[in-house]
Amino acid sequence: MKLSPEQKRLLAAIAAGQRLKDHRDIEGGKNYRLYTLDGAAQVIQPADVAALVELGLISSNKKFPSATYWLTPQGQQCVIGLT
């Protein structure tokens, strides 16, 4: 499986306890933010999240207006392989 450096970093960040969330606006637009343990937020590219979801490495609780993502069992195995 070919992951970009940013996708690998995102998986490692989630594994380390950071929270990936999506936020929807009133028109249905979605943006992604990665929250560090101290609460700071970093914008994440939608294509990176979509690729990880498509590969089955992350999933979400599909809540509206803000969903939280986590590693799937396959994602956890992938992170083990990255370290």
Side-chain angles (χ1 to χ4, degrees):
M1 154 182 348
K2 181 85 169 150
L3 298 174
S4 72
E6 181 59 23
Q7 292 164 353
K8 291 176 184 177
R9 188 189 72 73
L10 186 53
L11 288 175
I14 295 169
Q18 296 182 36
R19 291 176 299 131
L20 176 62
K21 298 184 77 119
D22 71 35
H23 301 277
R24 291 183 184 263
D25 60 29
I26 195 73
E27 287 90 29
K30 198 185 287 187
N31 61 67
Y32 299 90
R33 292 187 194 116
L34 181 67
Y35 293 89
T36 61
L37 299 177
D38 65 2
Q42 174 188 2
V43 174
I44 301 297
Q45 295 300 312
D48 289 324
V49 176
L52 295 175
V53 168
E54 193 170 303
L55 290 168
L57 300 178
I58 62 174
S59 187
S60 80
N61 60 6
K62 298 168 182 51
K63 298 284 184 177
F64 179 83
S66 179
T68 301
Y69 290 77
W70 59 79
L71 295 175
T72 64
Q74 185 178 352
Q76 292 171 356
Q77 289 299 314
C78 184
V79 169
I80 291 169
L82 295 175
T83 57

